[in-house]
Amino acid sequence: NAGVTQTPKFQVLKTGQSMTLQCAQDMNHEYMSWYRQDPGMGLRLIHYSVGAGITDQGEVPNGYNVSRSTTEDFPLRLLSAAPSQTSVYFCATRRSGVTTGELFFGEGSRLTVL
Amino acid sequence: DAKTTQPPSMDCAEGRAANLPCNHSTISGNEYVYWYRQIHSQGPQYIIHGLKNNETNEMASLIITEDRKSSTLILPHATLRDTAVYYCIVSYGNKLVFGAGTILRVKS
């Protein structure tokens, strides 16, 4: 039982490149989300999903795309990376059928955009 | 979601209780109070949550005032491994908004 798995753990991009951060979970959680954390700051919600085929925006969605084709996976796409997107990205999930309760976080993906 | 106010940092002696305050004066009736912590740069770890009653689990206790405008997280016997950033969040639904949190330093 791996929980929440994020890949890659580290990535360096050049400005304008695209990439996808992967998030996979094996807990059958309906709710999945992406946060970013800039140095010395709290986490900010980018996008979230309450189930396959359903996504919604969080606080800072610009520059990011998401899709949810399966319960297990919730990839985050950067179409044209910018230095302002240098950050640590966390995926978080929550069990089904509740709007409250514990979020389970992955270990993070550290992205540097040059 | 209601905003929260936490002190930027606190110190606590090892073995003593750590009491972390949080103000949430604009909390709505259906919003829960959550506490998470983040050790180094790891993913945040859930600690506890509550609506209006006090709550206790194996990690901590959560005391919510009767008017629900503030709360206190209590770590009963702090250890060096409790040194972390502690986040107080109030929310109902799908958007948990993290603030800057409180840096708790447990010292021997």
Side-chain angles (χ1 to χ4, degrees):
Chain A
N1 193 349
V4 181
T5 302
Q6 291 185 232
T7 55
K9 288 185 168 50
F10 299 94
Q11 183 71 49
V12 178
L13 290 178
K14 295 181 179 178
T15 298
Q17 288 185 317
S18 63
M19 77 158 299
T20 299
L21 299 177
Q22 303 288 347
C23 177
Q25 53 101 358
D26 61 0
M27 298 177 284
N28 200 32
H29 286 178
E30 291 290 338
Y31 178 91
M32 298 185 73
S33 58
W34 278 101
Y35 287 84
R36 63 176 286 176
Q37 184 173 34
D38 299 331
M41 299 184 65
L43 284 75
R44 291 184 291 171
L45 180 64
I46 305 172
H47 285 284
Y48 65 95
S49 168
V50 297
I54 306 170
T55 64
D56 206 346
Q57 296 181 348
E59 303 171 78
V60 287
N62 293 339
Y64 307 95
N65 282 350
V66 292
S67 60
R68 185 91 178 273
S69 56
T70 67
T71 298
E72 294 78 19
D73 300 295
F74 190 44
L76 179 71
R77 298 183 185 87
L78 287 71
L79 297 179
S80 180
S84 61
Q85 294 178 303
T86 293
S87 191
V88 180
Y89 292 84
F90 290 100
C91 178
T93 74
R94 189 176 61 215
R95 60 187 174 93
S96 310
V98 294
T99 57
T100 63
E102 178 180 359
L103 280 174
F104 294 83
F105 282 84
E107 295 183 351
S109 295
R110 286 149 183 80
L111 175 65
T112 301
V113 182
L114 303 176
Chain B
D1 294 337
K3 292 184 177 179
T4 61
T5 302
Q6 298 178 253
S9 64
M10 295 181 62
D11 291 338
C12 177
E14 189 178 20
R16 304 297 292 268
N19 297 280
L20 291 91
C22 180
N23 287 323
H24 31 80
S25 58
T26 59
I27 190 170
S28 300
N30 61 353
E31 287 184 313
Y32 285 72
V33 179
Y34 295 85
W35 283 85
Y36 284 77
R37 73 180 183 183
Q38 187 174 27
I39 298 173
H40 297 301
S41 55
Q42 299 173 16
Q45 176 190 23
Y46 167 84
I47 300 173
I48 199 167
H49 77 284
L51 184 61
K52 49 186 174 183
N53 297 323
N54 297 337
E55 302 287 345
T56 296
N57 62 21
E58 64 280 1
M59 288 183 67
S61 295
L62 173 60
I63 308 298
I64 303 174
T65 58
E66 193 169 343
D67 63 8
R68 303 208 326 124
K69 292 185 177 182
S70 65
S71 61
T72 301
L73 177 75
I74 301 172
L75 308 178
H77 304 287
T79 70
L80 297 178
R81 289 177 295 180
D82 293 321
T83 292
V85 179
Y86 287 77
Y87 298 100
C88 169
I89 303 160
V90 292
S91 179
Y92 176 82
N94 295 312
K95 295 184 179 182
L96 265 66
V97 177
F98 286 74
T102 296
I103 299 172
L104 175 68
R105 300 184 185 91
V106 180
K107 300 183 176 181
S108 58

